[in-house]
Amino acid sequence: MLNLQEFPAPPGSGEVTACECEGMLRSHDAVTAATIAQNMLGSGESILESESHESVRPALGKQDAQLAFTAKPRLPASIALAYRQRGVLGCLEQLSESCSGGPEDSRASHVVGAVTSALLSALTVANKMTAIIAPNTRLPMLERSSSTKTQCSSSAGGGSNSNIVSMSWHGVSRRLAVGYTDDSVRIMSQRPLQPLLKHRTQRAIAQVHWLPYSMSVVCVACEAGVLLWSVDPSSVVTRPSGACITLLPSSPYSSPSPAVMAPHPQGMFVSASCGDGGVSVWDVSLLSSVRIQEAGTVTHMLYSPDATQLLLVMLHPPTVRVFNTSDWSLMEWVCKSTVSSCAWSRCSRYIVFCTTQPSCLYCVCPDTADNSATMLAQLSRVQLLDSGGETVSIGGTVLQLVWGGERLVVLFEECCYIALFHTHTMKMA
């Protein structure tokens, strides 16, 4: 069994790992390492821009809606919608606009509109006085004004207040889908127009994936279920509308929690687990689903590369389950502690997964008669001397496993180092 103590000395202070050459990791300073990586990957234009170069219109602009529709919405519905979108101030603004219409409105409506306008003016003056007396204090009801909403929408998908949740490269084209904590998804590319995907049902984004064998479909796992966005690569629209969305809904009786999904490697199906713990396999073209599991909390879901098996990681009890996609037969392994990450081998014969207490790397082979889990490495935190002679801490809880070809990459939660394993899988008879 391997141990992190057996690893070679990591790079010293001021150095980063640039590449692997002749079976050895080469470390250089940051500038040299970036130059080497650029030369190895090829000289291309950068597509990773934090913000688009053009302004993005708000998703829910009142002026745009009024220009598009001549009939006014009913007052109770419009006030309720304004309150959900912009809080108390938005509710007062909507009430003032609805009650101060043309001459056909009643006297009572004019009175209510005048009172509401006066109240808005008083709140605005009070907010300005508060800003002068106490600059760091604002009235809570004015925090969600229309101007603030517009500013947040314009800088969404790369603003200073949003962090990256998930991202996915397109399988063919040079496009990157990035999900942020502000419930938006940005499609980055070398084109000047970078679409921003945002909708009122798209809340608490957990995963973003491009649908395999599709040029335009982006799968977004969120609280409502899985959203399938159709984003035309040749379109000039920077803010696709809700008409571009197909929802794979969660159960109406499930608790509000982000969904876990796994696109089929051939792009025909999307497997999803929502708040109720059940797992459904959706046919993307027919929008019909098959339920393969009724209960439990799923933390990870992954198809094998050949699409013959579906891997699920359960939370209570800590369990690794493998479904055969031909008949949905089940095999499972019960673990001693929570499983933090998992990965398939490229040949679809082996599974590696990591537990948390202690942090260990295991391997299972579902195709063999003796399919017990084998411990491969101990990944608990250790102290090592780097190339400069300084003591550094490496290891701990694993955040993610990435297995590509002969290399297994291990990312840790509270460690700035990445462990790289050389792997070799044997062909079964």
Side-chain angles (χ1 to χ4, degrees), residues 387-408:
S387 58
E390 299 181 1
T391 302
V392 294
S393 180
I394 298 178
T397 303
V398 174
L399 178 64
Q400 186 179 5
L401 294 173
V402 180
W403 197 355
E406 297 182 349
R407 298 293 182 269
L408 175 64

Side-chain angles (χ1 to χ4, degrees), residues 304-335:
S304 61
D306 61 1
T308 59
Q309 300 175 93
L310 176 62
L311 169 64
L312 302 181
V313 175
M314 311 299 297
L315 183 60
H316 300 297
T319 308
V320 176
R321 293 181 175 178
V322 177
F323 288 89
N324 190 319
T325 56
S326 61
D327 56 2
W328 300 114
S329 58
L330 172 66
M331 292 183 292
E332 66 178 13
W333 296 262
V334 179
C335 305

Side-chain angles (χ1 to χ4, degrees), residues 38-39 72 81 108 173 188 219 226 229 236 243 252-253 267 284 303 315 345 364 366 378 411 416 421 426:
Q38 186 68 28
N39 293 335
K72 292 183 179 180
L81 180 61
S173 62
M188 298 181 177
C219 307
V226 178
W229 284 87
V236 295
Y253 307 104
V284 177
Y303 275 99
L315 183 60
S345 65
V364 295
Q378 176 67 250
L411 285 77
C416 61
F421 290 90
M426 295 181 297

Side-chain angles (χ1 to χ4, degrees), residues 155-173:
S155 61
S160 58
N161 296 327
S162 57
N163 298 321
I164 294 177
V165 176
S166 176
M167 56 185 178
S168 173
W169 280 104
H170 194 277
V172 180
S173 62

Side-chain angles (χ1 to χ4, degrees), residues 5 32 89 118 151 232 260 351 383:
Q5 293 281 5
T32 305
L89 185 60
Q151 182 180 359
D232 188 355
V260 179
I351 303 170
Q383 303 293 326

Side-chain angles (χ1 to χ4, degrees), residues 356-368:
T356 54
Q357 296 177 354
S359 181
C360 296
L361 178 67
Y362 291 87
C363 177
V364 295
C365 182
D367 295 338
T368 59

Side-chain angles (χ1 to χ4, degrees), residues 222-247:
C222 59
E223 195 174 89
V226 178
L227 300 181
L228 304 181
W229 284 87
S230 296
V231 184
D232 188 355
S234 59
S235 175
V236 295
V237 177
T238 59
R239 193 67 179 270
S241 66
C244 302
I245 296 177
T246 301
L247 174 62

Side-chain angles (χ1 to χ4, degrees), residues 108-420:
S109 298
H110 283 288
V111 173
V112 174
V115 173
T116 307
S117 300
L119 183 58
L120 282 172
S121 301
L123 289 175
T124 304
V125 172
N127 180 65
K128 292 181 179 179
M129 295 298 296
T130 305
I132 296 175
I133 298 174
N136 296 328
T137 305
R138 289 190 57 138
L139 296 179
M141 64 181 62
L142 295 180
E143 287 295 329
R144 299 188 63 178
S145 63
S146 58
S147 61
T148 303
K149 185 72 176 180
T150 302
Q151 182 180 359
C152 292
S153 299
S154 299
S155 61
S160 58
N161 296 327
S162 57
N163 298 321
I164 294 177
V165 176
S166 176
M167 56 185 178
S168 173
W169 280 104
H170 194 277
V172 180
S173 62
R174 296 192 61 185
R175 287 187 293 167
L176 180 66
V178 184
Y180 294 92
T181 54
D182 61 358
D183 300 333
S184 66
V185 177
R186 173 78 71 180
I187 307 299
M188 298 181 177
S189 65
Q190 293 178 305
R191 301 182 60 198
L193 300 180
Q194 298 181 357
L196 180 67
L197 313 181
K198 198 174 179 73
H199 195 263
R200 63 178 180 273
T201 60
Q202 185 173 278
R203 299 178 181 176
I205 295 176
Q207 291 175 274
V208 176
H209 285 288
W210 287 97
L211 187 67
Y213 292 94
S214 172
M215 289 296 296
S216 59
V217 179
V218 182
C219 307
V220 180
C222 59
E223 195 174 89
V226 178
L227 300 181
L228 304 181
W229 284 87
S230 296
V231 184
D232 188 355
S234 59
S235 175
V236 295
V237 177
T238 59
R239 193 67 179 270
S241 66
C244 302
I245 296 177
T246 301
L247 174 62
L248 308 181
S250 59
S251 171
Y253 307 104
S254 63
S255 59
S257 60
V260 179
M261 69 170 177
H264 192 274
Q266 298 175 2
M268 300 180 295
F269 308 100
V270 173
S271 298
S273 174
C274 301
D276 60 347
V279 178
S280 300
V281 180
W282 287 85
D283 188 316
V284 177
S285 59
L286 301 178
L287 295 182
S288 60
S289 63
V290 175
R291 194 91 162 179
I292 63 173
Q293 178 173 294
E294 293 296 335
T297 303
V298 180
T299 59
H300 297 80
M301 185 182 303
L302 193 62
Y303 275 99
S304 61
D306 61 1
T308 59
Q309 300 175 93
L310 176 62
L311 169 64
L312 302 181
V313 175
M314 311 299 297
L315 183 60
H316 300 297
T319 308
V320 176
R321 293 181 175 178
V322 177
F323 288 89
N324 190 319
T325 56
S326 61
D327 56 2
W328 300 114
S329 58
L330 172 66
M331 292 183 292
E332 66 178 13
W333 296 262
V334 179
C335 305
K336 296 181 179 180
S337 61
T338 304
V339 177
S340 59
S341 186
C342 58
W344 282 96
S345 65
R346 183 170 293 181
C347 63
S348 302
R349 298 183 182 274
Y350 300 94
I351 303 170
V352 291
F353 61 90
C354 287
T355 57
T356 54
Q357 296 177 354
S359 181
C360 296
L361 178 67
Y362 291 87
C363 177
V364 295
C365 182
D367 295 338
T368 59
D370 182 16
N371 55 7
S372 59
T374 303
M375 182 184 296
L376 300 179
Q378 176 67 250
L379 302 177
S380 300
R381 188 178 295 272
V382 297
Q383 303 293 326
L384 294 178
L385 293 177
D386 61 17
S387 58
E390 299 181 1
T391 302
V392 294
S393 180
I394 298 178
T397 303
V398 174
L399 178 64
Q400 186 179 5
L401 294 173
V402 180
W403 197 355
E406 297 182 349
R407 298 293 182 269
L408 175 64
V409 181
V410 181
L411 285 77
F412 300 100
E413 283 190 357
E414 300 178 354
C415 178
C416 61
Y417 292 92
I418 297 176
L420 183 65

